[in-house]
Every structure is written in C-alpha cells, then in structure tokens.
Amino acid sequence: MLELAILGFLYEAPLHGYELRKRITALTGHVRPVGESTLYPAIKRLEKAGLLARETQPGTAAAPRHMLTLTPAGRRDLLRRLGEPDRLDVTDENRWFTLLAFLRHLPGEDEQAAVLRRRLTFLEEPASFFYDGERPLSAQELDDPFRRGILTIARATSAAELKWLRATLRSLE
C-alpha cells in the first residue's frame, strides 16, 4: 500500500520526501500513520529497483532538498499494480482506497472497469464479521448492540459503495 501511494503521488508530480509524506498521511494517516522510519526505507527500495530517481536541489532556507521523480520503469510498475491488483488490494478497505485514489491513471476505461468489477464481485459475496459456523450472521441475529452496530455500519457503507460502483461501471461501459 505504501509503495503504491508513493508511486501514485510521484506519477502526478515530482515531490520531495516531506511533501510526499504529507500527502500519504492525508490519504491513509487516520488508519496507518506514515512515519519517516517507514517512508524513507520504502523510497530507497523503490529507488534501488529503478522505479524512482532522486535529484538534489538547493533548499530555500535550509539544507538541500531531495526531489523524487518517477522513472519510466516506475510509471510502468504503477500501471501494472493498478491494472493487476492483488486480492488483498481489492478486499481490504484501506488498501482499496489507496488503489482507488490512483485508478484514474490506468489509460483505458475498460481496464478501470475490470478493477471495479473485481471489487463489486467481492462486495456482492455474502459476508459478515461474525459467523455461526460457516453461516454469516446478520445484524438482526445478534444480541450484542455493539456487534450489531458494526454490522449496521458496514452494511450502510457497503450499500453506498455498491451504488457508486454500479453507477461508475455504467458510465465506463
């Protein structure tokens, strides 16, 4: 997820590390805050893999800044990750939101629609956070008001996303 966010933001414009961290934190920070100890090793891995380049520029008032840019290989890698997401990228809500934030960069509407259809298929599968054996439990079947709340909120969120997915797929197809 972090690497996808790095590649996605750099696809849009070259950034220095601090600005990149601010943007990633705005996208995912409420769930998974991004610290320097996580971000900079990921940047180094991507740089070592040839997916991004670093250029030193003079700082405005302090030390030089390291501007990061996406290489052609980095652009191709981002498009591959967006077009061929792992199952977890489609099923985990936080990873899905990161993927969705950059899905517009896929060049074809048919490719975008294919990714959205995978999410739609996942959301249409019967599921719950709570089960009786193999059978998913509904909110009405739970005595615990807090667990019932989890399922009620999840159902409302899923209903809104399903509506959006179907409408967006219609517009893409």
Side-chain angles (χ1 to χ4, degrees):
M1 179 180 83
L2 177 59
E3 289 183 359
L4 179 66
I6 292 168
L7 295 172
F9 281 120
L10 291 178
Y11 187 93
E12 297 169 356
L15 298 168
H16 56 85
Y18 176 73
E19 183 63 30
L20 182 60
R21 183 173 171 225
K22 280 180 22 183
R23 291 184 187 197
I24 293 171
T25 297
L27 179 63
T28 65
H30 68 286
V31 177
R32 296 181 183 151
V34 178
E36 290 180 16
S37 62
T38 306
L39 177 62
Y40 291 104
I43 289 171
K44 287 183 188 271
R45 280 192 310 274
L46 293 170
E47 188 177 15
K48 187 175 181 179
L51 303 180
L52 50 102
R54 180 188 315 246
E55 177 186 318
T56 303
Q57 296 180 343
T60 54
R65 297 177 355 165
H66 300 281
M67 291 300 289
L68 302 167
T69 58
L70 213 53
T71 64
R75 293 177 89 71
R76 287 189 302 274
D77 189 64
L78 173 66
L79 295 177
R80 179 195 58 77
R81 290 175 191 230
L82 292 172
E84 304 167 8
D86 295 337
R87 176 164 169 75
L88 193 55
D89 294 336
V90 174
T91 61
D92 178 86
E93 184 175 85
N94 300 316
R95 292 174 72 134
W96 171 246
F97 284 161
T98 301
L99 179 73
L100 198 55
F102 304 107
L103 195 59
R104 68 188 173 101
H105 297 310
L106 274 179
E109 290 181 346
D110 55 334
E111 294 176 79
Q112 296 167 347
V115 175
L116 294 182
R117 277 193 297 279
R118 287 185 58 197
R119 177 69 175 182
L120 179 64
T121 299
F122 164 70
L123 288 178
E124 290 177 334
E125 295 171 2
S128 178
F129 294 108
F130 310 106
Y131 288 81
D132 180 12
E134 295 290 318
R135 187 178 66 81
L137 295 173
S138 68
Q140 297 81 4
E141 296 177 279
L142 297 172
D143 294 332
D144 180 336
F146 306 107
R147 287 186 173 194
R148 198 170 40 250
I150 290 170
L151 293 180
T152 301
I153 293 165
R155 178 181 294 148
T157 302
S158 291
E161 186 175 356
L162 284 165
K163 181 179 178 182
W164 174 83
L165 278 167
R166 290 177 180 131
T168 303
L169 281 166
R170 279 192 302 276
S171 74
L172 291 174
E173 297 168 336

PDB file of all heavy atoms in Angstrom, residues 11-32:
ATOM      1  N   TYR A  11       3.627   9.811  -9.743  1.00  0.00           N
ATOM      2  CA  TYR A  11       3.124   9.765 -11.110  1.00  0.00           C
ATOM      3  C   TYR A  11       2.546  11.126 -11.489  1.00  0.00           C
ATOM      4  O   TYR A  11       2.627  11.557 -12.628  1.00  0.00           O
ATOM      5  CB  TYR A  11       2.054   8.678 -11.220  1.00  0.00           C
ATOM      6  CG  TYR A  11       1.554   8.409 -12.622  1.00  0.00           C
ATOM      7  CD1 TYR A  11       2.147   7.419 -13.395  1.00  0.00           C
ATOM      8  CD2 TYR A  11       0.483   9.108 -13.154  1.00  0.00           C
ATOM      9  CE1 TYR A  11       1.689   7.140 -14.675  1.00  0.00           C
ATOM     10  CE2 TYR A  11       0.013   8.842 -14.434  1.00  0.00           C
ATOM     11  CZ  TYR A  11       0.620   7.857 -15.193  1.00  0.00           C
ATOM     12  OH  TYR A  11       0.163   7.587 -16.457  1.00  0.00           O
ATOM     13  N   GLU A  12       1.971  11.781 -10.492  1.00  0.00           N
ATOM     14  CA  GLU A  12       1.306  13.065 -10.717  1.00  0.00           C
ATOM     15  C   GLU A  12       2.283  14.231 -10.776  1.00  0.00           C
ATOM     16  O   GLU A  12       2.063  15.177 -11.530  1.00  0.00           O
ATOM     17  CB  GLU A  12       0.261  13.297  -9.626  1.00  0.00           C
ATOM     18  CG  GLU A  12      -0.838  12.249  -9.679  1.00  0.00           C
ATOM     19  CD  GLU A  12      -1.769  12.246  -8.486  1.00  0.00           C
ATOM     20  OE1 GLU A  12      -1.560  13.023  -7.525  1.00  0.00           O
ATOM     21  OE2 GLU A  12      -2.726  11.459  -8.505  1.00  0.00           O
ATOM     22  N   ALA A  13       3.357  14.176  -9.983  1.00  0.00           N
ATOM     23  CA  ALA A  13       4.319  15.285  -9.964  1.00  0.00           C
ATOM     24  C   ALA A  13       5.535  14.884  -9.135  1.00  0.00           C
ATOM     25  O   ALA A  13       5.403  14.120  -8.180  1.00  0.00           O
ATOM     26  CB  ALA A  13       3.682  16.526  -9.353  1.00  0.00           C
ATOM     27  N   PRO A  14       6.704  15.413  -9.469  1.00  0.00           N
ATOM     28  CA  PRO A  14       7.873  15.198  -8.604  1.00  0.00           C
ATOM     29  C   PRO A  14       7.617  15.843  -7.236  1.00  0.00           C
ATOM     30  O   PRO A  14       6.989  16.904  -7.152  1.00  0.00           O
ATOM     31  CB  PRO A  14       9.007  15.924  -9.335  1.00  0.00           C
ATOM     32  CG  PRO A  14       8.538  16.081 -10.745  1.00  0.00           C
ATOM     33  CD  PRO A  14       7.039  16.179 -10.668  1.00  0.00           C
ATOM     34  N   LEU A  15       8.085  15.200  -6.196  1.00  0.00           N
ATOM     35  CA  LEU A  15       7.885  15.704  -4.835  1.00  0.00           C
ATOM     36  C   LEU A  15       9.136  15.459  -4.007  1.00  0.00           C
ATOM     37  O   LEU A  15       9.880  14.514  -4.264  1.00  0.00           O
ATOM     38  CB  LEU A  15       6.709  14.988  -4.163  1.00  0.00           C
ATOM     39  CG  LEU A  15       5.331  15.131  -4.784  1.00  0.00           C
ATOM     40  CD1 LEU A  15       4.356  14.133  -4.177  1.00  0.00           C
ATOM     41  CD2 LEU A  15       4.818  16.553  -4.589  1.00  0.00           C
ATOM     42  N   HIS A  16       9.315  16.255  -2.978  1.00  0.00           N
ATOM     43  CA  HIS A  16      10.361  15.942  -2.009  1.00  0.00           C
ATOM     44  C   HIS A  16       9.741  15.084  -0.915  1.00  0.00           C
ATOM     45  O   HIS A  16       8.509  14.993  -0.793  1.00  0.00           O
ATOM     46  CB  HIS A  16      11.033  17.205  -1.459  1.00  0.00           C
ATOM     47  CG  HIS A  16      10.104  18.194  -0.841  1.00  0.00           C
ATOM     48  ND1 HIS A  16       9.691  18.124   0.465  1.00  0.00           N
ATOM     49  CD2 HIS A  16       9.494  19.284  -1.369  1.00  0.00           C
ATOM     50  CE1 HIS A  16       8.876  19.122   0.731  1.00  0.00           C
ATOM     51  NE2 HIS A  16       8.733  19.843  -0.372  1.00  0.00           N
ATOM     52  N   GLY A  17      10.579  14.428  -0.140  1.00  0.00           N
ATOM     53  CA  GLY A  17      10.108  13.452   0.838  1.00  0.00           C
ATOM     54  C   GLY A  17       9.088  13.981   1.815  1.00  0.00           C
ATOM     55  O   GLY A  17       8.100  13.310   2.132  1.00  0.00           O
ATOM     56  N   TYR A  18       9.286  15.188   2.300  1.00  0.00           N
ATOM     57  CA  TYR A  18       8.362  15.751   3.284  1.00  0.00           C
ATOM     58  C   TYR A  18       6.966  15.939   2.687  1.00  0.00           C
ATOM     59  O   TYR A  18       5.960  15.590   3.303  1.00  0.00           O
ATOM     60  CB  TYR A  18       8.905  17.084   3.810  1.00  0.00           C
ATOM     61  CG  TYR A  18       7.963  17.774   4.759  1.00  0.00           C
ATOM     62  CD1 TYR A  18       7.780  17.292   6.064  1.00  0.00           C
ATOM     63  CD2 TYR A  18       7.240  18.891   4.362  1.00  0.00           C
ATOM     64  CE1 TYR A  18       6.904  17.914   6.939  1.00  0.00           C
ATOM     65  CE2 TYR A  18       6.360  19.524   5.233  1.00  0.00           C
ATOM     66  CZ  TYR A  18       6.197  19.029   6.510  1.00  0.00           C
ATOM     67  OH  TYR A  18       5.323  19.640   7.380  1.00  0.00           O
ATOM     68  N   GLU A  19       6.912  16.486   1.476  1.00  0.00           N
ATOM     69  CA  GLU A  19       5.618  16.693   0.818  1.00  0.00           C
ATOM     70  C   GLU A  19       4.948  15.358   0.510  1.00  0.00           C
ATOM     71  O   GLU A  19       3.741  15.201   0.667  1.00  0.00           O
ATOM     72  CB  GLU A  19       5.790  17.512  -0.464  1.00  0.00           C
ATOM     73  CG  GLU A  19       4.492  17.821  -1.161  1.00  0.00           C
ATOM     74  CD  GLU A  19       3.521  18.682  -0.353  1.00  0.00           C
ATOM     75  OE1 GLU A  19       3.957  19.500   0.469  1.00  0.00           O
ATOM     76  OE2 GLU A  19       2.306  18.516  -0.551  1.00  0.00           O
ATOM     77  N   LEU A  20       5.741  14.379   0.088  1.00  0.00           N
ATOM     78  CA  LEU A  20       5.210  13.042  -0.188  1.00  0.00           C
ATOM     79  C   LEU A  20       4.614  12.439   1.081  1.00  0.00           C
ATOM     80  O   LEU A  20       3.510  11.895   1.063  1.00  0.00           O
ATOM     81  CB  LEU A  20       6.323  12.150  -0.748  1.00  0.00           C
ATOM     82  CG  LEU A  20       5.945  10.734  -1.137  1.00  0.00           C
ATOM     83  CD1 LEU A  20       4.880  10.717  -2.221  1.00  0.00           C
ATOM     84  CD2 LEU A  20       7.196   9.990  -1.616  1.00  0.00           C
ATOM     85  N   ARG A  21       5.312  12.573   2.173  1.00  0.00           N
ATOM     86  CA  ARG A  21       4.820  12.055   3.461  1.00  0.00           C
ATOM     87  C   ARG A  21       3.506  12.726   3.856  1.00  0.00           C
ATOM     88  O   ARG A  21       2.574  12.067   4.316  1.00  0.00           O
ATOM     89  CB  ARG A  21       5.872  12.254   4.540  1.00  0.00           C
ATOM     90  CG  ARG A  21       5.463  11.694   5.871  1.00  0.00           C
ATOM     91  CD  ARG A  21       6.610  11.779   6.862  1.00  0.00           C
ATOM     92  NE  ARG A  21       6.137  11.439   8.170  1.00  0.00           N
ATOM     93  CZ  ARG A  21       6.434  12.121   9.264  1.00  0.00           C
ATOM     94  NH1 ARG A  21       7.238  13.144   9.215  1.00  0.00           N
ATOM     95  NH2 ARG A  21       5.949  11.749  10.417  1.00  0.00           N
ATOM     96  N   LYS A  22       3.401  14.043   3.667  1.00  0.00           N
ATOM     97  CA  LYS A  22       2.159  14.764   3.986  1.00  0.00           C
ATOM     98  C   LYS A  22       0.993  14.238   3.155  1.00  0.00           C
ATOM     99  O   LYS A  22      -0.106  14.033   3.672  1.00  0.00           O
ATOM    100  CB  LYS A  22       2.338  16.265   3.741  1.00  0.00           C
ATOM    101  CG  LYS A  22       3.053  16.982   4.839  1.00  0.00           C
ATOM    102  CD  LYS A  22       3.249  18.475   4.631  1.00  0.00           C
ATOM    103  CE  LYS A  22       2.336  19.156   3.684  1.00  0.00           C
ATOM    104  NZ  LYS A  22       2.608  20.589   3.465  1.00  0.00           N
ATOM    105  N   ARG A  23       1.231  14.013   1.875  1.00  0.00           N
ATOM    106  CA  ARG A  23       0.150  13.543   1.002  1.00  0.00           C
ATOM    107  C   ARG A  23      -0.282  12.123   1.351  1.00  0.00           C
ATOM    108  O   ARG A  23      -1.470  11.812   1.351  1.00  0.00           O
ATOM    109  CB  ARG A  23       0.574  13.639  -0.461  1.00  0.00           C
ATOM    110  CG  ARG A  23       0.686  15.076  -0.914  1.00  0.00           C
ATOM    111  CD  ARG A  23       1.014  15.186  -2.358  1.00  0.00           C
ATOM    112  NE  ARG A  23       1.268  16.583  -2.692  1.00  0.00           N
ATOM    113  CZ  ARG A  23       1.273  17.051  -3.906  1.00  0.00           C
ATOM    114  NH1 ARG A  23       1.041  16.254  -4.935  1.00  0.00           N
ATOM    115  NH2 ARG A  23       1.519  18.324  -4.131  1.00  0.00           N
ATOM    116  N   ILE A  24       0.685  11.267   1.634  1.00  0.00           N
ATOM    117  CA  ILE A  24       0.349   9.881   2.001  1.00  0.00           C
ATOM    118  C   ILE A  24      -0.397   9.868   3.327  1.00  0.00           C
ATOM    119  O   ILE A  24      -1.383   9.152   3.492  1.00  0.00           O
ATOM    120  CB  ILE A  24       1.610   8.998   2.042  1.00  0.00           C
ATOM    121  CG1 ILE A  24       2.183   8.850   0.635  1.00  0.00           C
ATOM    122  CG2 ILE A  24       1.298   7.635   2.656  1.00  0.00           C
ATOM    123  CD1 ILE A  24       3.546   8.187   0.579  1.00  0.00           C
ATOM    124  N   THR A  25       0.051  10.677   4.273  1.00  0.00           N
ATOM    125  CA  THR A  25      -0.618  10.746   5.573  1.00  0.00           C
ATOM    126  C   THR A  25      -2.049  11.256   5.414  1.00  0.00           C
ATOM    127  O   THR A  25      -2.966  10.754   6.064  1.00  0.00           O
ATOM    128  CB  THR A  25       0.177  11.637   6.543  1.00  0.00           C
ATOM    129  OG1 THR A  25       1.455  11.029   6.753  1.00  0.00           O
ATOM    130  CG2 THR A  25      -0.534  11.792   7.873  1.00  0.00           C
ATOM    131  N   ALA A  26      -2.261  12.220   4.527  1.00  0.00           N
ATOM    132  CA  ALA A  26      -3.616  12.719   4.293  1.00  0.00           C
ATOM    133  C   ALA A  26      -4.505  11.624   3.720  1.00  0.00           C
ATOM    134  O   ALA A  26      -5.693  11.553   4.035  1.00  0.00           O
ATOM    135  CB  ALA A  26      -3.583  13.918   3.350  1.00  0.00           C
ATOM    136  N   LEU A  27      -3.926  10.755   2.891  1.00  0.00           N
ATOM    137  CA  LEU A  27      -4.702   9.681   2.281  1.00  0.00           C
ATOM    138  C   LEU A  27      -4.946   8.528   3.247  1.00  0.00           C
ATOM    139  O   LEU A  27      -6.039   7.996   3.321  1.00  0.00           O
ATOM    140  CB  LEU A  27      -3.978   9.159   1.027  1.00  0.00           C
ATOM    141  CG  LEU A  27      -4.630   8.011   0.272  1.00  0.00           C
ATOM    142  CD1 LEU A  27      -5.986   8.440  -0.288  1.00  0.00           C
ATOM    143  CD2 LEU A  27      -3.723   7.522  -0.848  1.00  0.00           C
ATOM    144  N   THR A  28      -3.931   8.142   4.003  1.00  0.00           N
ATOM    145  CA  THR A  28      -4.034   6.927   4.820  1.00  0.00           C
ATOM    146  C   THR A  28      -3.747   7.140   6.298  1.00  0.00           C
ATOM    147  O   THR A  28      -3.890   6.209   7.080  1.00  0.00           O
ATOM    148  CB  THR A  28      -3.044   5.864   4.316  1.00  0.00           C
ATOM    149  OG1 THR A  28      -1.708   6.349   4.511  1.00  0.00           O
ATOM    150  CG2 THR A  28      -3.272   5.518   2.863  1.00  0.00           C
ATOM    151  N   GLY A  29      -3.350   8.320   6.683  1.00  0.00           N
ATOM    152  CA  GLY A  29      -2.850   8.561   8.033  1.00  0.00           C
ATOM    153  C   GLY A  29      -3.814   8.269   9.153  1.00  0.00           C
ATOM    154  O   GLY A  29      -3.405   7.867  10.231  1.00  0.00           O
ATOM    155  N   HIS A  30      -5.123   8.462   8.921  1.00  0.00           N
ATOM    156  CA  HIS A  30      -6.072   8.202  10.000  1.00  0.00           C
ATOM    157  C   HIS A  30      -6.112   6.716  10.338  1.00  0.00           C
ATOM    158  O   HIS A  30      -6.486   6.339  11.429  1.00  0.00           O
ATOM    159  CB  HIS A  30      -7.463   8.714   9.631  1.00  0.00           C
ATOM    160  CG  HIS A  30      -8.103   7.957   8.520  1.00  0.00           C
ATOM    161  ND1 HIS A  30      -7.709   8.082   7.207  1.00  0.00           N
ATOM    162  CD2 HIS A  30      -9.106   7.047   8.531  1.00  0.00           C
ATOM    163  CE1 HIS A  30      -8.443   7.280   6.453  1.00  0.00           C
ATOM    164  NE2 HIS A  30      -9.299   6.645   7.223  1.00  0.00           N
ATOM    165  N   VAL A  31      -5.686   5.879   9.407  1.00  0.00           N
ATOM    166  CA  VAL A  31      -5.694   4.438   9.635  1.00  0.00           C
ATOM    167  C   VAL A  31      -4.293   3.936   9.943  1.00  0.00           C
ATOM    168  O   VAL A  31      -4.082   3.205  10.893  1.00  0.00           O
ATOM    169  CB  VAL A  31      -6.251   3.710   8.387  1.00  0.00           C
ATOM    170  CG1 VAL A  31      -6.193   2.207   8.572  1.00  0.00           C
ATOM    171  CG2 VAL A  31      -7.668   4.159   8.121  1.00  0.00           C
ATOM    172  N   ARG A  32      -3.362   4.354   9.120  1.00  0.00           N
ATOM    173  CA  ARG A  32      -1.975   3.905   9.260  1.00  0.00           C
ATOM    174  C   ARG A  32      -1.048   5.096   9.092  1.00  0.00           C
ATOM    175  O   ARG A  32      -0.628   5.406   7.978  1.00  0.00           O
ATOM    176  CB  ARG A  32      -1.661   2.853   8.199  1.00  0.00           C
ATOM    177  CG  ARG A  32      -2.488   1.612   8.363  1.00  0.00           C
ATOM    178  CD  ARG A  32      -2.124   0.582   7.317  1.00  0.00           C
ATOM    179  NE  ARG A  32      -3.009  -0.555   7.494  1.00  0.00           N
ATOM    180  CZ  ARG A  32      -3.375  -1.361   6.541  1.00  0.00           C
ATOM    181  NH1 ARG A  32      -2.927  -1.191   5.333  1.00  0.00           N
ATOM    182  NH2 ARG A  32      -4.183  -2.369   6.782  1.00  0.00           N
TER     183      ARG A  32
END
